[in-house]
Amino acid sequence: MTHSKPVRNPSGGAEPRREVTKPALDTPLLERVVEPENMRRAWKRVKANQGAPGIDRMTLEEADAWLRTNWPTLRASLLDGTYQPLPLRRKAIPKASGGERLLGIPAVLDRLIQQAVAQVLTPIFDPGFSRWSFGFRPARSAHQALRQVQAFLQAGYRTAVDLDLEKFFDRVNHDVLMSRVA
């Protein structure tokens, strides 16, 4: 059987797969995380996302009041490395196909810190990801990924690769990972 279009592989091996990663700026990363403007933007995102309370049952409103009084202590614990996130609150939700999916719900304060860290790290690391990677990335969606697959099919590509990294951080060699991040 012959194809009217040649079968191609999207990477083709001809173009670089990754862009050059931006180096970190002179300010240490953790200090950039806790800068007031970064924290304000993070809090605005956390509030906009709403979300249920974590294991501590602290609501957004309660966290707002708590932060007004306790921010200096929280900031200091982040900078000196003594901050410990709370365990996740587990919630089982039914799947459409049957069974349950277990959600881990972080405490509001942990979500704030995660968001603040993401805002600093994303511009540093995201440029190093493949342009064909769509999962959990800014300004990318499953719908865009589907449109890209359709465009590849129309262009004659016949191979698609889908990776689910569900257990990646459970199994990765953390020493190797951290040496590459450093």
Side-chain angles (χ1 to χ4, degrees):
M1 179 173 159
T2 59
H3 296 282
S4 59
K5 293 182 182 179
V7 176
R8 297 182 280 175
N9 179 340
S11 68
E15 63 183 276
R17 293 179 60 194
R18 296 171 182 246
E19 298 175 28
V20 176
T21 303
K22 291 183 191 176
L25 300 177
D26 292 335
T27 307
L29 291 176
L30 204 46
E31 289 181 17
R32 290 174 52 200
V33 168
V34 298
E35 285 177 352
E37 181 53 34
N38 188 54
M39 295 305 298
R40 274 191 283 278
R41 286 188 312 120
W43 183 241
K44 193 174 183 178
R45 290 284 306 271
V46 168
K47 283 177 26 176
N49 289 341
Q50 295 294 306
I55 198 167
D56 62 355
R57 300 291 183 190
M58 186 184 292
T59 65
L60 287 165
E61 295 76 22
E62 292 166 337
D64 195 20
W66 187 92
L67 284 164
R68 291 180 196 284
T69 304
N70 297 288
W71 169 243
T73 305
L74 177 59
R75 181 182 187 278
S77 71
L78 287 165
L79 290 173
D80 69 20
T82 59
Y83 176 79
Q84 291 289 314
L86 292 173
L88 300 175
R89 181 166 68 95
R90 295 294 182 180
K91 172 84 172 153
I93 60 170
K95 287 182 172 181
S97 61
E100 292 182 328
R101 180 172 153 215
L102 195 59
L103 288 182
I105 303 169
V108 173
L109 296 177
D110 293 337
R111 290 199 309 263
L112 169 65
I113 294 162
Q114 290 168 6
Q115 180 63 42
V117 168
Q119 290 171 179
V120 170
L121 294 184
T122 297
I124 295 169
F125 289 102
D126 192 67
F129 295 155
S130 166
R131 67 181 185 165
W132 309 119
S133 173
F134 288 86
F136 301 101
R137 293 187 58 203
R140 299 200 178 219
S141 70
H143 295 291
Q144 290 173 317
L146 184 56
R147 283 193 295 274
Q148 185 63 64
V149 168
Q150 290 168 337
F152 283 148
L153 286 171
Q154 290 173 351
Y157 297 103
R158 294 293 175 255
T159 303
V161 177
D162 177 31
L163 299 174
D164 184 354
L165 302 178
E166 177 184 1
K167 301 287 184 190
F168 174 78
F169 289 103
D170 295 341
R171 298 183 181 130
V172 70
N173 181 326
H174 286 273
D175 293 334
V176 172
L177 176 64
M178 293 311 293
S179 71
R180 291 191 181 184
V181 168

